[in-house]
């Protein structure tokens, strides 16, 4: 085990895909299972997911949402109620056709998403405007039968939360859609140190059955984009086929307005690819399962382990900390915890004890800092914040340096061939231009950003008048 | 909606099954879905489950367990690896036979429990004694294709946690099995105010593939028992077919010893049937989504709503509290919150304000208590504890009053016909006697309690020498 860990992993710039799977394996994040495309989320990655859940669940509840649990299965006839929705999802669902020893009369799909179930339930429980809004969320797993899969990024089964809300007015529903997108952005920035681009998806990239899809897009180290969370405004598209109606104040029947929004374990893939380096994972401090690892130096010498224990006791009141007192050499331990991306390594040995100090080593920069023991409980949390901020800043710089303007297809293709990252370009709004750009360059429209700029007068593809700035890029 | 709520529900002693489903519906705990046997867990019940999860998850982590996530699907060949296990579960699983548009070459079952997945993973990741023990837990849903279902008690899909651990020694694994059973007992007593009977299942009632199954059994108001949590010791039954081996200190290959343990959303059914009454649900205070409901009296009068708000602000720092300031009559509100089993109702009106007091009404006893406003933050938490303790005591008395000794089948049958609850009787250990008792009386062996007593010398059924005391009863 030790030996494998300190073996060099594939270099990030040499083979990014291999580097990624090396990290997933060696940092013990996920394992393959005997079911094609389904992964085992190991304790270290699951603990990160729990921190993400904890943050989001608190934010959801503060904004009035309640958790529920809907069934895992959807009867075929229910899935088919909204035409675009079933067209979008049916090709990629898993079907249960047999229960115990009996053949089912109607096959059931394993939920790929639960709009139809929420709609059916809401139609039953909502009668009057007094019952609105309904703000429900659920934490669960969903299944989409994917052809090619990669741990966290695209798996047949993944974990997520799906919020589903219904409202009396269009305005309220639209506000909700944006409110939840903002919470996703804040999760990324405040917890994961990942800056994101916020905007709207084009018609061809929006959710099957929706009116408008909003997205946060992040940029991976290899220059590819990752859709990291989406929030959908449905208007009354589902309300009508599902008859979700309520009596308004005047006693008139009205259809509700609806939203849904979700974020998945895919975000763990994002944090690997935004922050990781050739020594392994770099975990953002606020979701790190372990924030400080104490490595005793010359631990057989008198007083070293005792001191390490004492420091651990003290620190464990304010941060997540462990001691590695295994019988491995310190160098091996350093490599292991670097591979796992623990934000701070604390070294303490006889010389440090004599000087009443410890050595703190940052994972992100590998910088060493001497700190008096008496200051530890101030220094460590401050350093964790500092690490968070500089990881975020570095990622912001990376986006800035890897975002390029293109005014025509020549320029667009030249950037695609010689550089990496986002391409900003004007678009006329015609789906055929979008399609053509994809064909020519492999780049898809990532979003129409909320922060619009005017970088030229004409569509990058057809040259016609254009007033929409779009971010383009190859994507996961 | 209001009207339905204050309609009388079915009397508990008249038709217990109908009373139960009335409560599930009117207290808004669960709803039926369009998938047979699958329920929707509504926000009020889900919030209780979250409190149960919060308690258990903390206890699991304190005892060294880590959470993971295993796939939803199990290939048929993997399920078949342990002979008894597949025999026990195969008749009641749902099978996925189609993914997207392709027919699967091997069908996948939707997990009914995840032993086989954990075994396969452990076999891969464990090499040495240094890797042991592995103490994993997972929160998820499982599916068992049930013929007859009832919300919470028996549903095709349910939520649970399943712990799966492997150990170097038999002793360690056996200790773990009991440790986790004790945590379940403590959950029931400390959080749910439900006293349980603790003991071992007989051979015929144990888990498919296990060596020994331990159980906690609770007693419902109608006198039927409910298996409320189980903990299994597997020995090396799975270790061998799955080749879960490790190198011991002497470099010798050894098989691991294994446990698993689980508790489900069924426990919500238990709390309904242990504590509920003819006015509705009675929620144990510590898991109550809402602990105090403030009902303003004559709320249109000056200062009443302001005072109610003020009290809410104050109380919300220490308990879960809301104001019901809807335009319904106080009497309607009382009924609604009684139906939902909110532990304390706080009434405050102009007269109370004049006297600087409020009225607290206990849900469990309906007793009214006048409390000076200035004492509220001391009185309310104390009253919640008091309610918890008296609910627990009442439930303990109920078990005591409804547990009967039988020394022969005459007596056994007489008790079954005229009384309700547990029957204590000696058993020779022969499965045929167990079978015969079930045939004659409908009662199954609930457990061989850890606290053994000697109530007679002979088996209640065959009359042969017997030294095991067994609790018997009809069960859910």
């Amino acid at each position: 085990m030790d030996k494998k860990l300190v073996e060099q992993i594939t270099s990030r710039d040499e083979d990014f895909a291999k580097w990624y799977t090396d990290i997933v394996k060696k940092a013990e994040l996920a394992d393959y299972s005997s079911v094609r495309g389904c992964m085992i989320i190991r304790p270290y990655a699951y603990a990160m997911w729990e921190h993400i859940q904890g943050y989001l669940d608190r934010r959801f509840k503060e904004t009035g949402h309640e958790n529920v649990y809907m069934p895992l299965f959807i009867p075929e006839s229910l899935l088919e109620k909204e035409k675009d929705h079933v067209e979008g999802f049916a090709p990629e669902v898993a079907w249960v056709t047999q229960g115990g020893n009996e053949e089912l009369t109607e096959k059931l799909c394993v939920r790929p998403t639960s709009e139809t179930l929420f709609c059916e339930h809401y139609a039953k429980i909502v009668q009057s405007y007094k019952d609105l809004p309904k703000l429900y969320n659920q934490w669960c797993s969903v299944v989409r039968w994917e052809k090619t899969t990669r741990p966290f990024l695209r798996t047949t089964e993944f974990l997520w939360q799906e919020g589903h809300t219904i409202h009396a007015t269009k305005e309220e529903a639209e506000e909700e859609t944006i409110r939840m997108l903002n919470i996703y952005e804040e999760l990324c920035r405040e917890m994961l140190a990942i800056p994101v681009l916020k905007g709207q998806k084009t018609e061809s990239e929006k959710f099957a059955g929706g009116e408008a899809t909003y997205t946060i897009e992040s940029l991976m180290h290899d220059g590819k984009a990752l859709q990291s969370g989406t929030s959908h405004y449905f208007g009354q598209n589902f309300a009508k086929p599902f008859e979700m109606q309520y009596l308004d104040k005047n006693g008139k029947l009205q259809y509700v307005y609806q939203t849904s929004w979700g974020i998945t374990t895919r975000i763990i893939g994002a944090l690997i690819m935004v922050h990781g380096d050739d020594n392994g994972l770099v975990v953002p401090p606020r979701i790190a399962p372990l924030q400080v690892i104490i490595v005793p130096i010359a631990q057989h010498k008198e007083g070293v382990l005792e001191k390490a224990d004492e420091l651990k006791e003290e620190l464990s009141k304010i941060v997540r900390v462990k001691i590695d007192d295994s019988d491995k050499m310190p160098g091996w331990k350093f490599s292991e915890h670097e591979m796992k991306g623990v934000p701070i390594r604390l070294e303490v040995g006889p010389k440090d004890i004599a000087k009443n100090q410890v050595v703190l080593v940052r994972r992100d920069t590998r910088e060493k800092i001497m700190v008096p023991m008496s200051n530890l409980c101030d220094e460590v949390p401050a350093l964790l914040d500092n690490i968070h901020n500089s990881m975020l800043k570095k990622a912001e710089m990376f986006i800035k340096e890897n975002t390029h303007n293109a005014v025509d297809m020549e320029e667009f293709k030249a950037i695609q061939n010689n550089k990496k990252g986002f391409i900003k370009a004007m678009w006329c709004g015609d789906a055929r231009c979008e399609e053509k750009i994809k064909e020519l360059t492999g780049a898809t429209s990532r979003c129409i950003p909320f922060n619009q700029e005017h970088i030229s007068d004409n569509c990058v593809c057809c040259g016609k008048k254009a007033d929409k700035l779009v971010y383009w890029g190859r994507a996961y």
Side-chain angles (χ1 to χ4, degrees), chain A residues 37-50:
Chain A
C38 286
M39 67 174 166
I40 292 163
I41 304 181
R42 300 188 64 181
Y44 196 56
Y46 197 85
M48 294 181 207
W49 181 241
E50 287 181 304

Side-chain angles (χ1 to χ4, degrees), chain A residues 13 32 39 50 58 66 110 153 260 280 372 399 421 427 463 469:
Chain A
D13 291 322
Y32 297 93
M39 67 174 166
E50 287 181 304
R58 180 175 60 75
E66 300 180 288
V110 181
L153 297 177
S260 87
I399 294 188
W427 176 56
L469 178 78

